[in-house]
């Protein structure tokens, strides 16, 4: 396929895995017993993605116990549960943990699970991780007397550099930084100061990698997706995208299928993307329960092709299907059907554009 296509990350957990996670939280399953359920879920995810023709595979974030954002620090004794609250449009709230003392360290790294998934496939493998800017929100606004913010940032960047290099060492062909807080930051601070700080810290991380390595690192932006609700869909992309493309990454995964006026967003992308930046446009609305047809996906790709030149146009889903493990608003079967439609529709568009 001459137009690249990739998933964002999370796939809904099966009912079996959901039940096992509840038992594990209640202490009725130990680590060894829980591992059996994780392995089964990962194997099923990888094999189903391969069966529907996905050219790049992932483990569907089945081992990220609670969420895409907190997997790295869960269980750390220097984390309290009363951190920043993120409100969603339907009224529910997600809350981040709060760092109580230094040093900042990961309890686990995303690269530790790659080998466990790659045993089921020899296809290219992608790993999604949380962004440095999102992790910076774990540091309390009032500061920590014995652990200044500069020291925290240095530790954070060192840990995440280790995570990304570990992913590449384990055979990942792409590492995606989840930057959902980018659009949210504009809502929280219309002045743009928070967004600027997010761009800066992510670039501090990316400066540790060579230009060739950065071509294999992507940034994902969306308005959030949790229980069929978003946290910042009301924020104009025009307030985010010009700054987004200042991030020194090679690929950008941009939620687009859910936008009311995608053509306007494509014009902004056309104006501000750098010449070597690959744009993965969202052609699947993960919140819409209706499964897209291949023709609808094709039409969305053809529209994007008017603004993004080949070979810098690629396709993706707007977001992960279940970034938080308890989100069952989309079924596993629906998620795979939507991914299959993306793959088929992208191939159809490539053929019509003469790229196939």
């Amino acid at each position: 396929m001459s137009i690249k296509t990739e998933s964002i990350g999370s796939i809904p957990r099966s009912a079996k895995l959901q039940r096992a996670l509840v038992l594990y939280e209640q202490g009725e399953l130990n680590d060894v017993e829980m591992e059996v359920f994780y392995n089964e879920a990962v194997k099923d995810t990888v094999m189903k993605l391969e069966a529907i023709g996905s050219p790049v595979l992932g483990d569907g974030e089945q081992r990220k116990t609670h969420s895409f954002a907190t997997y790295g620090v869960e269980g750390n004794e220097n984390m309290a549960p009363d951190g920043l609250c993120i409100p969603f449009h339907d009224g529910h709230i997600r809350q981040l943990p709060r760092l109580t003392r230094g040093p900042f360290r990961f309890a686990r790294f995303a690269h530790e699970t790659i080998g466990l998934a790659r045993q089921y496939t020899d296809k290219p493998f992608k790993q999604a991780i949380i962004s440095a800017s999102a992790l910076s929100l774990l540091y309390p606004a009032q500061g920590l007397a014995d652990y200044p913010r500069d020291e925290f940032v240095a530790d954070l960047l060192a840990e995440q550099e280790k995570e990304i290099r570990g992913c590449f060492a384990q055979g990942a062909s792409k590492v995606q930084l989840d930057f959902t807080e980018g659009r949210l930051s504009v809502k929280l601070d219309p002045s743009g100061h928070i967004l600027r700080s997010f761009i800066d810290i992510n670039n501090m991380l990316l400066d540790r990698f060579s230009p060739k390595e950065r071509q294999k690192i992507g940034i994902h932006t969306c308005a959030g997706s949790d229980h069929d609700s978003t946290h910042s869909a009301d924020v104009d992309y025009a307030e985010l995208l010009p700054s987004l493309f200042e991030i020194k990454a090679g690929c950008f995964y941009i939620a687009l299928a859910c936008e009311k006026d995608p053509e306007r967003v494509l014009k902004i992308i056309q104006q501000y993307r750098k010449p070597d930046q690959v744009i993965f446009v969202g052609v699947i609305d993960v919140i819409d329960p209706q499964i897209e047809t291949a023709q609808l996906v094709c039409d969305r790709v053809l529209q994007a092709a008017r603004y993004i030149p080949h070979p810098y146009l690629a396709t993706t889903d707007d977001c992960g299907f279940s970034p938080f493990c308890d989100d069952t608003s989309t079924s596993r079967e629906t998620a795979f059907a939507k991914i299959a439609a993306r793959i088929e529709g992208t191939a159809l568009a490539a053929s019509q554009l003469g790229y196939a």
Side-chain angles (χ1 to χ4, degrees):
M1 184 183 298
S2 59
I3 296 180
K4 296 177 181 177
T5 189
E6 297 175 7
S7 297
I8 289 298
S10 62
I11 302 291
R13 283 73 166 175
S14 68
K16 186 176 182 179
L17 179 57
Q18 290 278 6
R19 287 194 298 271
L21 286 167
V22 171
L23 293 174
Y24 180 72
E25 292 287 336
Q26 294 173 347
E28 296 183 37
L29 288 178
N30 60 34
D31 289 344
V32 173
E33 292 168 328
M34 190 65 218
E35 191 65 18
V36 174
F37 291 95
Y38 280 137
N39 282 334
E40 181 180 312
V42 169
K43 181 179 181 180
D44 184 70
T45 300
V46 170
M47 295 184 72
K48 282 182 176 174
L49 286 172
E50 188 161 4
I52 60 178
S54 183
V56 179
L57 307 182
D59 67 2
E61 303 189 359
Q62 302 297 288
R63 291 177 179 275
K64 291 182 179 177
T65 308
H66 292 103
S67 85
F68 76 107
T70 59
Y71 66 89
V73 298
E74 289 171 8
N76 278 353
E77 293 182 355
N78 61 346
M79 289 288 167
D82 58 346
L84 179 71
C85 289
I86 301 174
F88 283 75
H89 285 150
D90 66 354
H92 85 274
I93 291 174
R94 293 292 187 178
Q95 189 166 21
L96 295 176
R98 172 179 58 86
L99 187 70
T100 60
R101 64 181 186 278
F104 177 85
R105 295 289 186 269
F106 281 179
R108 60 192 55 81
F109 293 89
H111 63 76
E112 295 170 354
T113 66
I114 293 178
L116 299 172
R118 283 181 57 80
Q119 64 181 310
Y120 304 119
T121 183
D122 58 2
K123 281 199 167 188
F125 195 90
K126 172 183 176 179
Q127 182 65 55
I129 67 173
I130 190 59
S131 67
S133 49
L135 291 172
S136 72
L137 296 172
L138 305 186
Y139 189 83
Q142 68 273 21
L144 293 170
D146 298 326
Y147 192 52
R149 184 175 177 82
D150 287 349
E151 188 176 342
F152 160 75
V153 170
D155 287 342
L156 164 57
L157 295 178
E159 289 290 276
Q160 194 159 49
E161 179 186 3
K162 188 188 304 182
E163 181 169 51
I164 294 173
R165 294 198 182 282
C167 289
F168 288 143
Q170 289 294 317
S173 59
K174 183 74 65 66
V175 175
Q176 171 193 292
L177 308 181
D178 288 324
F179 184 53
T180 183
E181 71 280 4
R183 201 168 181 179
L184 178 62
S185 73
V186 179
K187 183 175 184 176
L188 299 176
D189 173 29
S191 75
H193 292 311
I194 294 178
L195 176 60
R196 182 71 259 166
S197 72
F198 284 170
I199 301 295
D200 289 345
I201 195 171
N202 287 324
N203 277 338
M204 288 169 66
L205 172 70
L206 291 168
D207 280 339
R208 296 173 175 231
F209 296 88
S210 69
K212 184 177 180 180
E213 290 170 327
R214 291 199 293 266
Q215 285 303 117
K216 298 190 294 182
I217 300 175
I219 297 289
H220 167 233
T221 186
C222 68
S225 174
D226 186 35
H227 293 288
D228 285 346
S229 186
T230 65
H231 54 52
S232 54
D234 52 339
V235 173
D236 190 339
Y237 256 144
E239 301 299 317
L240 170 66
L241 293 180
S243 297
L244 182 76
F245 293 124
E246 294 178 20
I247 299 179
K248 300 173 185 177
C251 304
F252 291 81
Y253 301 79
I254 301 176
L256 192 62
C258 62
E259 289 297 307
K260 294 179 180 178
D261 188 356
E263 190 152 15
R264 175 175 176 268
V265 179
L266 286 165
K267 289 178 181 178
I268 298 171
I269 293 172
Q270 180 187 48
Q271 180 179 357
Y272 289 100
R273 65 168 285 271
K274 305 294 189 298
D276 61 343
Q277 291 173 340
V278 178
I279 308 299
F280 286 77
V281 296
V283 294
I284 296 294
D285 185 345
V286 300
I287 288 179
D288 187 350
Q290 188 71 29
I291 297 170
E292 289 84 352
T293 64
Q295 186 59 55
L296 176 58
V297 171
C298 175
D299 292 343
R300 288 171 173 171
V301 179
L302 295 177
Q303 181 185 47
R306 298 201 296 269
Y307 299 95
I308 304 169
H310 182 72
Y312 299 101
L313 171 64
T315 67
T316 188
D317 314 309
D318 273 1
C319 190
F321 288 93
S322 183
F324 297 87
C325 74
D326 61 358
D327 182 3
T328 58
S329 58
T330 300
S331 72
R332 194 167 169 83
E333 293 72 25
T334 295
F336 283 118
K338 281 175 168 278
I339 292 170
R342 167 171 50 79
I343 294 167
E344 183 181 352
T346 300
L348 183 60
S351 177
Q352 292 188 22
L353 289 165
Y355 300 153

